Amino acid sequence: MSENKVPYKIYLQENEMPTAWYNMRADMKNKPAPLVNPGTGQPLSAEELTPIFCEELVKQELDETTPLVAIPEEIRNFYKMYRPSPLVRAYCLEEKLKTPAKIYYKFEGNNTSGSHKLNSAIAQAYYAKKQGLKGVTTETGAGQWGTALSMACSYFDLDCKVYMVKVSYEQKPFRREVMRTYGASVVPSPSETTQVGRKILAEHPGTTGSLGCAISEAVEVAVSNPGYRYVLGSVLNQVLLHQSVIGLETKAALDKYGIKPDMIIGCAGGGSNLGGLIAPFMGEKLRGEADYRIIAVEPASCPSFTRGTFAYDFCDTGMICPLAKMYTLGSDFIPSPNHAGGLRFHGMSTTLSQLYHDGYMEAVSVDQTSVFDAAVQFARVEGILPAPESSHAIRVAIDEALKCKETGEEKTIVFGLTGTGYFDLVAYEKYNNGEMTDQIPTDEEIAASIAKLPKIG
Amino acid sequence: MSENKVPYKIYLQENEMPTAWYNMRADMKNKPAPLVNPGTGQPLSAEELTPIFCEELVKQELDETTPLVAIPEEIRNFYKMYRPSPLVRAYCLEEKLKTPAKIYYKFEGNNTSGSHKLNSAIAQAYYAKKQGLKGVTTETGAGQWGTALSMACSYFDLDCKVYMVKVSYEQKPFRREVMRTYGASVVPSPSETTQVGRKILAEHPGTTGSLGCAISEAVEVAVSNPGYRYVLGSVLNQVLLHQSVIGLETKAALDKYGIKPDMIIGCAGGGSNLGGLIAPFMGEKLRGEADYRIIAVEPASCPSFTRGTFAYDFCDTGMICPLAKMYTLGSDFIPSPNHAGGLRFHGMSTTLSQLYHDGYMEAVSVDQTSVFDAAVQFARVEGILPAPESSHAIRVAIDEALKCKETGEEKTIVFGLTGTGYFDLVAYEKYNNGEMTDQIPTDEEIAASIAKLPKIG
């Protein structure tokens, strides 16, 4: 079929949906460095991980050799409720920009969690159920991951305990209520329900909490309650594996119309979306079958790829989790409070970090106000109100399309639209009122945080 | 294709989308009674309507004979950004209910307005643009219509002035900010920007406004500013015409798999969704080609079909609009403040009223708490968090599926899922906290309101 017949939205048929996830590590010559036990300095074994994580997920976490992992039928059936997600040709945006570039976006926001997070949440809930567990625990900040996990647990009749950073619990009551509607118990963190929570409350009365503290509480509850495990929505290899469904669908949709992209652009926080979107394209690149520009976009307020260092660090600010070798700003680093949405993790997936280190991808950081400029421009012509996170990718896609306008090149740009901004309207209000600002960390701030890295690896 | 191969979601191809809207009135033997000028008691002419409404829309409003109205290409292109909407087979709900019934729902929530309202908003904005107008005015309560119109006006570069009931403007800042993001000016009503607003503010300082007052302001601005017209998101015949795209897609998707529904269920406020969903099915029924049960579901707190009277009444509480012959509770009637979401209009589309009067459809009213029971049950198995409005249809679809379970009948149920509940979480919170109540008007309350009907027709 010729490219000028591409519809506005390419939907795969149900029988064209992926039946296996793709594990990029299988094709990497330089594997990502292993997670390390902070006590021993040695790589973590499966035995050390299984008290915290589900057994099957530990296997997936450590598996560096299997390229394709079959998606269980129960998960595929759930996927069918909200997938395949559309690959959209941004005809209206192209026209508005008057660019010869062809712009496509993979839209993951058409589900109640409002983002791609559901792709991994349902997989993790499934393996927990299969193991005969009673429930899972997790933490959530902005709430996308908590919402996705609540939906997944509700589907499999699993108990779901979400530790929600207290300030978000109070300021984002809508997210909290979606989770409660799906039957999750949502606890403002720090709480009286855990030892670590009580300790923090005693030491810091009146604290509004932090993600690091919420992780600590969720992990404590998981390891101290029989039948519970802890689950996480980003950074981990297992999460990237599940999220590969995004990229596999994208590639299948493009292949259907004989389209070969020149570049693939994704926003990057912990790497769950980016690692999923680029997976099959990166696979071709790793195997030398094709070449693509692959661009990670991160906020200038939390620039782990572009201004961080590649070293072992804690995954949590509370320093209780394993060490991971990654691009990091230091586990002490906290982005400016005026930073909107997610993408606020100090580090980055170990797999993506290794790929970036080895030159397989580029990274660029963008300012918040320019991100919202792009978000509003996109919303007005393409209809969808994007999440702040997704809008980082929109910004760079528009920039690249405008470069094509200058050079006259008809490049094909694919970017990931990870979700909708319906629960981010406080940030949009700031933007609409002209009150949004940028806040870029100084070199000294980053150096101070990196100076505290653990001396391992 | 055999019915057991029906996928979870039936998506039409772009070239299978409707190219014409269907006008039910063309097949009605008893046409809906005309709008009447409250001053003269005579049917309103096109000349009387054109100062308020766009010319082409006035034609559509008055056209009782043309069955098919071509959808202009510009509107079809916009439709392609968020349509075709999926017709979903509710496999998970069926399994949960253990019913032999086959349940389908047409999901109109996958767009930023969060509902079907965009189908008519884009049409009305298009005709305004084509007429060379500068902009349009409207009122909004809960905000779905205002959001949809803002999106449509942004697409066609039209100015959009939304008068938003002051209490909603203050209590629903998220909706307000979506509209502002799409470039609309949103004015809390009553306001100082109109004569009628200033009058009301002088007489009732501190009032939080009403839909009737917002309509009055929007109409005043439209008729007193050259290049502006007033637009409305429900009740009118033109709106039902545009919304027929819902039913036409539904029927095309069912036909593709050889499925003939036994019943079609839709929620009913002013009738925009119901009139659109049932259109082609009602057409077959009117022409004697097929028979279907067609069920309107309304809230027990605002039961115009089931407890109202069929008579001429004002369309607005401010009594400045034309009179329409419809099932009405009286333009004075205001549902209890604890009523959640839309479906709070005192009357009903004249077309649907005539069809109901002539026995072509049934109506049932449902209690709010039972509606939210159904909403949560649906959300937990089908993933989508439904709008309160849509959940009225879910309630009755579940009730009918449970009847099938008792009788063993394998009926095919189709219902309209008009939108998502992301901006209705205050109501969900009340439900989650066990604080939601039902409030059914007494016979005396309804009689008192109906006693004030104008003496015409």
Side-chain angles (χ1 to χ4, degrees), chain A residues 7-9 14 80-81 83 112 151 154 176-177 180-182 379-380 383-385 422 429 432-433, chain B residues 7-9 14 80 83 112 151 154 176-177 180-182 379-381 383-385 422 429 432-433:
Chain A
Y8 279 63
K9 295 187 258 62
E14 245 165 50
K80 286 176 192 167
M81 287 206 294
R83 310 199 65 83
T112 289
M151 292 174 68
S154 161
R176 181 188 76 210
E177 289 309 321
R180 291 183 67 208
T181 301
Y182 281 94
R380 291 194 182 181
I384 299 164
L385 186 81
Y422 305 146
E429 182 175 9
N432 292 336
N433 292 340
Chain B
Y8 279 64
K9 295 186 259 62
E14 243 165 52
K80 286 176 193 167
R83 310 199 65 82
T112 289
M151 292 173 69
S154 162
R176 180 189 75 211
E177 289 308 321
R180 290 184 67 208
T181 301
Y182 281 94
R380 291 194 182 181
V381 291
I384 300 164
L385 186 81
Y422 306 145
E429 182 175 10
N432 292 335
N433 291 340

Side-chain angles (χ1 to χ4, degrees), chain A residues 215-227:
Chain A
I215 293 176
S216 306
E217 291 202 81
V219 172
E220 180 186 319
V221 171
V223 297
S224 56
N225 282 283

Side-chain angles (χ1 to χ4, degrees), chain A residues 6-9 11-14 17 77-84 86 88 92 96 105 107 109-114 151 154-155 157 173-178 180-184 257 375-376 378-386 420 422-426 428-430 432-433, chain B residues 6-9 11-14 17 77-84 86 88 92 96 105 107 109-114 151 154-155 157 173-178 180-184 257 375-376 378-386 420 422-426 428-430 432-433:
Chain A
V6 174
Y8 279 63
K9 295 187 258 62
Y11 276 109
L12 299 177
Q13 300 293 313
E14 245 165 50
M17 286 172 68
N77 283 344
F78 187 91
Y79 278 171
K80 286 176 192 167
M81 287 206 294
Y82 71 101
R83 310 199 65 83
V88 186
C92 298
K96 186 79 179 180
Y105 56 92
F107 180 41
N110 273 349
N111 72 75
T112 289
S113 81
M151 292 174 68
S154 161
Y155 184 75
D157 265 329
F174 280 17
R175 279 280 185 201
R176 181 188 76 210
E177 289 309 321
V178 180
R180 291 183 67 208
T181 301
Y182 281 94
Y257 288 87
V376 171
F378 178 83
R380 291 194 182 181
V381 290
E382 288 290 319
I384 299 164
L385 186 81
T420 52
Y422 305 146
F423 294 101
D424 300 287
L425 282 156
V426 171
Y428 274 99
E429 182 175 9
K430 267 194 193 159
N432 292 336
N433 292 340
Chain B
V6 173
Y8 279 64
K9 295 186 259 62
Y11 277 109
L12 299 176
Q13 300 293 314
E14 243 165 52
M17 286 172 69
N77 283 344
F78 187 90
Y79 278 170
K80 286 176 193 167
M81 287 206 293
Y82 71 102
R83 310 199 65 82
V88 186
C92 298
K96 185 81 178 177
Y105 56 91
F107 181 41
N110 273 349
N111 71 76
T112 289
S113 81
M151 292 173 69
S154 162
Y155 184 75
D157 265 327
F174 280 17
R175 279 281 184 201
R176 180 189 75 211
E177 289 308 321
V178 180
R180 290 184 67 208
T181 301
Y182 281 94
Y257 288 87
V376 172
F378 178 84
R380 291 194 182 181
V381 291
E382 289 289 322
I384 300 164
L385 186 81
T420 52
Y422 306 145
F423 294 100
D424 300 287
L425 282 156
V426 172
Y428 273 98
E429 182 175 10
K430 268 194 190 158
N432 292 335
N433 291 340

Side-chain angles (χ1 to χ4, degrees), chain B residues 365-436:
Chain B
S365 77
V366 288
D367 289 343
Q368 177 158 277
T369 50
S370 77
V371 165
F372 274 80
D373 289 343
V376 172
Q377 187 172 18
F378 178 84
R380 291 194 182 181
V381 291
E382 289 289 322
I384 300 164
L385 186 81
E389 296 86 348
S390 326
S391 304
H392 287 71
I394 298 175
R395 171 73 276 163
V396 173
I398 289 179
D399 289 345
E400 291 290 336
L402 291 175
K403 280 184 207 163
C404 288
K405 186 177 173 180
E406 279 178 30
T407 63
E409 288 173 292
E410 293 186 23
K411 289 192 176 163
T412 296
I413 299 169
V414 172
F415 73 90
L417 191 73
T418 53
T420 52
Y422 306 145
F423 294 100
D424 300 287
L425 282 156
V426 172
Y428 273 98
E429 182 175 10
K430 268 194 190 158
Y431 177 82
N432 292 335
N433 291 340
E435 294 160 0
M436 179 165 276

Side-chain angles (χ1 to χ4, degrees), chain B residues 21 75 78-79 82-83 108 111 113 115-124 145 148 239 242-246:
Chain B
W21 294 302
I75 298 174
F78 187 90
Y79 278 170
Y82 71 102
R83 310 199 65 82
E108 293 287 318
N111 71 76
S113 81
S115 83
H116 65 291
K117 294 286 184 185
L118 197 52
N119 301 329
S120 184
I122 192 64
Q124 297 194 43
W145 168 246
V239 176
H242 307 148
Q243 295 295 356
S244 69
V245 70
I246 303 172

Side-chain angles (χ1 to χ4, degrees), chain A residues 428-456:
Chain A
Y428 274 99
E429 182 175 9
K430 267 194 193 159
Y431 176 83
N432 292 336
N433 292 340
E435 294 160 2
M436 179 165 276
T437 56
D438 296 311
Q439 191 84 36
I440 300 164
T442 63
D443 290 342
E444 291 70 29
E445 281 167 332
I446 292 178
S449 171
I450 284 177
K452 296 182 201 162
L453 289 185
K455 306 286 175 265
I456 288 173

Side-chain angles (χ1 to χ4, degrees), chain B residues 233-249:
Chain B
S234 189
V235 183
L236 297 176
N237 292 321
Q238 58 187 264
V239 176
L240 267 67
L241 177 72
H242 307 148
Q243 295 295 356
S244 69
V245 70
I246 303 172
L248 291 163
E249 279 187 11

